Amino acid sequence: MLIAMTSAKGAPGVTTAALALALSWPRRAVLAELDPAGGDVLAGYGRGEVSAGGLAELELAARRGGPARHLDAHLLRLDAGERVRLLPGLADPIGARHVDWHRLAGALAAVDGGTTDALADCGRLGAEYFPREVVHRSAAVIVVTRSSLRAVRAASHAVAALKVESAGGAGAGPLAAVVVAAGEPYGEREIGDALGVPVLGALPRDDKAASVLSDGAPAGRFFPQSALLRAAREVAARVAEFVARQDALLSPPAETSAPAHRIGHGHGR
Ligand SMILES: Nc1ncnc2c1ncn2[C@@H]1O[C@H](COP(=O)(O)OP(=O)(O)OP(=O)(O)O)[C@@H](O)[C@H]1O
Ligand SMILES: [Mg+2]
């Protein structure tokens, strides 16, 4: 399933959250860096690694063939196995105007025949060349926000804009939020009430672990046990469960299976 992540404004930590969730995802996952302002993961977590693949080259290849066939060749491994992969974003944001988001959304919704989920870091909602078609194609849209009044206010405008688009038949999946640094000062429940969407969890302020993800600081042995990664495992499970539940609700009931089986079916899509 394709899951879009976006922010309202400022830099609440969408890229860091998307990377933490991808590394913690309960199934095989691809983190797709679609922020039209450019990708950050190779320069940050990748510690300056230069990629031969990525979004820009995928687009070039797509113009010669079709992205579904070529997507694999543009993915890099993010973990020791093949469980988590990265579609590196644009090194130069000038390329954003040339990306066919519609075509890319189709490819991301069907990675490995649908057995791998795609988490798309879409950057700031409303930015020029924002990957709107990817949001529309997503099974769920996650708005990432901090917990200050100004952050929540901006996020509520973003949620309202996304709801208007959905009401207009654009077809984006259900909306939810993830809070970065909850309790500064607002808590998850207050933020959920203000936004009018479910809050699927919070990632704590954890400067050390965040700098590993966003700026390539050395990970150290305890990185997997950091507060940020421990919370990311919980939030990833909740986001995956939310998407599967919505998917099951939208699927026509199967004659022979109970609702629990339909949820299982949703996981396998
Ligand atoms: N949970 C966290 N705890 C502490 N710092 C964090 C956390 N999440 C993100 N940050 C920090 O916030 C800064 C911005 O993070 P990030 O680049 O992920 O934001 P963004 O929303 O993707 O921004 P942009 O819109 O510019 O792409 C980085 O310095 C990152 O280390
Ligand atoms: Mg970002």
Side-chain angles (χ1 to χ4, degrees), residues 147 179 181-188 191:
S147 64
V179 181
E184 298 183 4
Y186 295 104
E188 289 176 56
I191 294 171

Side-chain angles (χ1 to χ4, degrees), residues 240-267:
E241 199 250 337
F242 173 79
V243 178
R245 196 169 57 231
Q246 302 296 331
D247 190 49
L249 288 174
L250 293 174
S251 305
E255 274 172 28
T256 52
S257 61
H261 288 114
R262 278 189 275 129
I263 290 173
H265 169 76
H267 264 295

Side-chain angles (χ1 to χ4, degrees), residues 52-86:
L55 185 51
E57 293 197 15
L58 174 64
E59 274 306 299
L60 273 180
R63 275 182 237 151
R64 298 189 201 113
R69 287 203 309 280
H70 298 298
L71 185 61
D72 271 9
H74 298 274
L75 301 178
L76 298 182
R77 280 189 300 190
L78 268 179
D79 62 351
E82 288 264 334
R83 222 178 57 79
V84 192
R85 287 169 295 164
L86 171 73

Side-chain angles (χ1 to χ4, degrees), residues 10-16 35 40 124 146 180 204-207 210-211 214-215 228:
V14 183
T15 304
T16 305
D35 187 337
D40 284 330
R124 303 179 193 191
R146 295 262 174 162
V180 174
R205 175 184 289 280
D206 181 345
D207 295 343
S211 69
S214 65
D215 289 287
L228 182 52

Side-chain angles (χ1 to χ4, degrees), residues 104-126:
L104 186 60
L108 289 172
V111 186
D112 301 333
T115 57
T116 295
D117 293 327
L119 292 171
D121 173 2
C122 296
R124 303 179 193 191
L125 183 75

Side-chain angles (χ1 to χ4, degrees), residues 118-176:
L119 292 171
D121 173 2
C122 296
R124 303 179 193 191
L125 183 75
E128 199 176 11
Y129 308 118
F130 180 77
R132 185 153 273 104
E133 289 92 334
V134 173
V135 168
H136 293 168
R137 182 76 189 257
S138 294
V141 184
I142 310 294
V143 175
V144 177
T145 180
R146 295 262 174 162
S147 64
S148 65
L149 178 58
R150 69 188 178 94
V152 176
R153 189 176 282 171
S156 72
H157 292 310
V159 166
L162 285 164
K163 282 183 177 167
V164 167
E165 287 199 24
S166 287
L175 293 169

